[in-house]
Amino acid sequence: MAITMYDLAGSEAERRFSPFCWRARMALAHKGLEVETVPWRFTEKDKLPQPNAGRVPVIVDGDRVVHDSTAIAEYLEERYPDRPSLFACETGRGLTRFVQNWTETVLQTGLIGLVLLDIWRHLGPADQAYFRSDREKRFGTTLEEVVRDREARLPAFRAGLDPLRRTVERQQFVCGSAPAYADYIVFGAFQWARAVSDFEVLAADDPLRAWRGRMLDLFDGLARRAPAYGS
Amino acid sequence: MAITMYDLAGSEAERRFSPFCWRARMALAHKGLEVETVPWRFTEKDKLPQPNAGRVPVIVDGDRVVHDSTAIAEYLEERYPDRPSLFACETGRGLTRFVQNWTETVLQTGLIGLVLLDIWRHLGPADQAYFRSDREKRFGTTLEEVVRDREARLPAFRAGLDPLRRTVERQQFVCGSAPAYADYIVFGAFQWARAVSDFEVLAADDPLRAWRGRMLDLFDGLARRAPAYGS
């Protein structure tokens, strides 16, 4: 029986934009597992299977419910040990945490300041009201104000990607010659941006584009086929 | 026969401060290999065995000369496959490159602006003249000017360590429950700073201090026994 995954969606059911859901989606594909996704909106907290933390991804695998992308990756690795590994070895698992922490403190923090308003634009009315109220409280200002000077912040954002850029200039994937979970963590952030925004966060000649293209090609173009902007 | 390693030294022969040499020194210890270090100064380019690129570390292992810390790590891994691995698996090797690129673009770049003048203070007269001329050309200003506002830059430097901080708050080492080469890459930068500077780059309550302490304890306190400042 296929695994069910609750996946954050915009007003269009097929527009999936959560970076954490993309991590889980790619991890499931890496393991070669069938998945049926259920579009879920911010304001549908009562529609999630128990237990959950009011957020997605949540997966249902037989009688197991697992929430939180990190817990899902650990679960898949333990439950399906004979499928391709997400971490390859214990050192790989440890180092993946560093990539995750870089992604969450540098990459995603930078991206949110570029695409926050574009997320709002892709939501239905109920989610728009929730999202604006919640995020404006968090940022202490309006969505419009958060992204207002995004053009000016772009050079610093791009410079901050140097550790990633240097890595994939010299090897095919963050994890080396083949992708694994750390690639999916980083890719989830880029897929989040391109799912909701036509604001191109990478310069035309950025070597990161080639890596992003390789990620979009994986699993028969799983992420490339999803509704998104640009390349 | 012990491996010989040419190791950057200050005016005191025992003060070893190159971050790249510390990577190699820790890698050799990780492999359990005997090493005899030769103190080497910036202005002794003609004293290095061939081939070299005018920099250290350079190691001599029997009739093999290997230079550049990355090449040395690769060499040790290939030449001594039955000793503890520096990368653990191919994914570990790939991810180690990301940590290296982060260390070189964020951590070391930040540290140089804090301790550059302190390096100069620990050199003999010939090296001082070379170092000042070379680095002032590179930075386009005096050594004194580079570090002048270091107190003001400290908060941003420390904030930039968040990916590392979060990682070692939740696991013992960058590589997980046991250290490997990625830990030595990051540690080399901190050891470089503490070898030449009494300017404490980490706040008193920074969780990174506990990790640095664990690194200093490795291999019977190899790095802790070396001349350095502070904890």
Side-chain angles (χ1 to χ4, degrees), chain A residues 94-190:
Chain A
L95 290 168
T96 295
R97 295 287 165 261
F98 181 83
V99 174
Q100 178 176 342
N101 291 326
W102 179 81
T103 299
E104 293 176 5
T105 60
V106 178
L107 177 55
Q108 293 186 177
T109 304
L111 283 172
I112 195 75
L114 305 177
V115 307
L116 186 67
L117 183 61
D118 294 318
I119 297 173
W120 177 85
R121 290 200 175 106
H122 285 85
L123 306 178
D127 271 25
Q128 279 191 331
Y130 158 80
F131 188 81
R132 180 176 287 279
S133 161
D134 181 80
R135 298 307 196 269
E136 293 192 345
K137 204 173 296 168
R138 190 184 300 177
F139 286 92
T141 185
T142 62
L143 303 181
E144 286 76 6
E145 195 57 31
V146 169
V147 302
R148 197 181 49 81
D149 61 345
R150 66 181 181 176
E151 285 285 357
R153 274 182 284 110
L154 203 49
F157 168 77
R158 289 172 174 172
L161 304 183
D162 269 348
L164 180 66
R165 184 174 293 116
R166 283 198 190 188
T167 303
V168 298
E169 270 180 328
R170 296 166 195 186
Q171 59 194 27
Q172 291 283 296
F173 296 98
V174 177
C175 291
S177 57
Y181 193 61
D183 285 276
Y184 309 141
I185 292 173
V186 181
F187 174 71
F190 286 101

Side-chain angles (χ1 to χ4, degrees), chain A residues 3-4 6 48-53 57-68 71-72 75:
Chain A
I3 291 171
T4 301
Y6 290 78
L48 291 175
Q50 293 292 340
N52 68 72
V58 179
I59 66 166
V60 184
D61 185 14
D63 58 0
R64 280 292 303 272
V65 176
V66 187
H67 65 93
D68 178 275
I72 290 169
Y75 167 78

Side-chain angles (χ1 to χ4, degrees), chain A residues 14-74:
Chain A
E14 291 312 307
R15 189 169 303 271
R16 309 295 171 85
F17 61 91
S18 157
F20 303 101
C21 289
W22 275 106
R23 293 182 193 181
R25 192 77 196 280
M26 299 293 276
L28 286 159
H30 183 95
K31 287 279 183 192
L33 295 165
E34 291 294 311
V35 61
E36 284 173 12
T37 65
V38 177
W40 177 87
R41 274 79 179 201
F42 287 116
T43 46
E44 299 178 330
K45 301 207 189 289
D46 57 351
K47 291 195 182 172
L48 291 175
Q50 293 292 340
N52 68 72
R55 288 185 296 273
V56 285
V58 179
I59 66 166
V60 184
D61 185 14
D63 58 0
R64 280 292 303 272
V65 176
V66 187
H67 65 93
D68 178 275
S69 57
T70 300
I72 290 169
E74 297 287 350

